[in-house]
Amino acid sequence: DQQVKQNSPSLSVQEGRISILNCDYTNSMFDYFLWYKKYPAEGPTFLISISSIKDKNEDGRFTVFLNKSAKHLSLHIVPSQPGDSAVYFCAAQNAGNMLTFGGGTRLMVKP
Amino acid sequence: ETGVTQSPTHLIKTRGQQVTLRCSSQSGHNTVSWYQQALGQGPQFIFQYYREEENGRGNFPPRFSGLQFPNYSSELNVNALELDDSALYLCAFQGGAGGYYEQYFGPGTRLTVT
């Protein structure tokens, strides 16, 4: 029973365009959501987060949107750069501070 | 650079053996979690330690056990290794007094069980 799902295993985008990565969750007890970026042979790197009381959080080129009624969040990267090519994981956190991860989306930004 | 270190980087063990993985943080955060990441999947929560006590556990059998030391570094021990235990093992530190803070990961230990 996957409580956090990333339905697109991969995404290819042209440099300079927008990348949109999606994530769905089922557990309404999740109250904090995070995006991590992972390069091969490295641990996940924290990117951006959002509390369940908000619907948008922005940090430079990265914006996360949360739609609680749809139990859906998305990460927008504008403009996309080749260095953004990596695997992106969304994660949901409950009051116990345990993270539940999605399966990841591999983003490829083409020059 | 998260300041979280893990050792060893890689190791190979035989089925039935035992293994100990280690994790430490430069920042002195008091909450540490361990995750298992199988190939092609997202990390799965194993357990969490807060001030040397287990503070939550995922769906892993008792042969996965841990410790946290007074300096907040941590160990993950796995007994009676099985082939399916082959994975990347990640630890993550979380700071602050409760609440919702980001977890910062180490580079992981790649365990291969043959």
Side-chain angles (χ1 to χ4, degrees):
Chain A
D1 177 30
Q2 278 189 286
Q3 296 188 63
V4 179
K5 284 187 181 179
Q6 294 176 255
N7 289 317
S8 298
S10 65
L11 175 67
S12 183
V13 170
Q14 204 66 35
E15 180 180 5
R17 305 294 289 268
I18 184 171
S19 295
I20 300 176
L21 295 96
N22 294 302
C23 180
D24 297 295
Y25 63 96
T26 57
N27 188 342
S28 56
M29 297 303 292
F30 290 139
D31 54 10
Y32 202 70
F33 302 89
L34 307 92
W35 284 93
Y36 284 85
K37 175 179 174 179
K38 189 177 185 301
Y39 294 115
E42 293 183 14
T45 301
F46 169 71
L47 205 54
I48 192 169
S49 61
I50 188 167
S51 165
S52 60
I53 62 173
K54 296 186 176 181
D55 56 18
K56 177 182 174 181
N57 188 27
E58 193 171 351
D59 183 3
R61 297 185 298 115
F62 303 92
T63 303
V64 56
F65 295 93
L66 176 62
N67 182 334
K68 280 187 67 177
S69 60
K71 294 191 176 66
H72 177 84
L73 65 155
S74 61
L75 173 67
H76 292 208
I77 306 174
V78 181
S80 301
Q81 300 173 352
D84 296 330
S85 297
V87 178
Y88 288 77
F89 292 98
C90 71
Q93 186 165 278
N94 59 14
N97 296 330
M98 176 188 99
L99 288 178
T100 301
F101 283 85
T105 296
R106 180 175 301 279
L107 174 65
M108 293 163 284
V109 181
K110 298 179 179 179
Chain B
E1 187 65 46
T2 62
V4 179
T5 57
Q6 291 186 244
S7 62
T9 306
H10 299 89
L11 75 166
I12 301 173
K13 290 286 189 177
T14 304
R15 190 171 50 184
Q17 287 187 316
Q18 178 266 342
V19 69
T20 298
L21 311 181
R22 295 178 175 82
C23 174
S24 62
S25 168
Q26 295 176 348
S27 57
H29 291 161
N30 57 19
T31 303
V32 61
S33 299
W34 285 90
Y35 294 83
Q36 180 196 66
Q37 185 179 13
L39 203 60
Q41 297 180 21
Q44 278 196 295
F45 175 73
I46 302 175
F47 46 58
Q48 182 182 87
Y49 278 80
Y50 172 68
R51 292 187 176 179
E52 304 178 53
E53 297 283 336
E54 187 176 294
N55 190 41
R57 189 175 185 94
N59 190 25
F60 280 81
R63 59 189 186 83
F64 286 77
S65 63
L67 282 174
Q68 187 179 29
F69 300 99
N71 67 354
Y72 303 136
S73 66
S74 179
E75 285 183 357
L76 164 65
N77 299 289
V78 187
N79 293 322
L81 283 166
E82 301 177 359
L83 297 179
D84 284 349
D85 296 334
S86 296
L88 180 69
Y89 288 86
L90 298 158
C91 72
F93 279 86
Q94 180 169 2
Y100 308 106
Y101 291 90
E102 295 79 18
Q103 296 189 20
Y104 294 92
F105 285 82
T109 293
R110 172 72 60 187
L111 172 65
T112 302
V113 182
T114 62

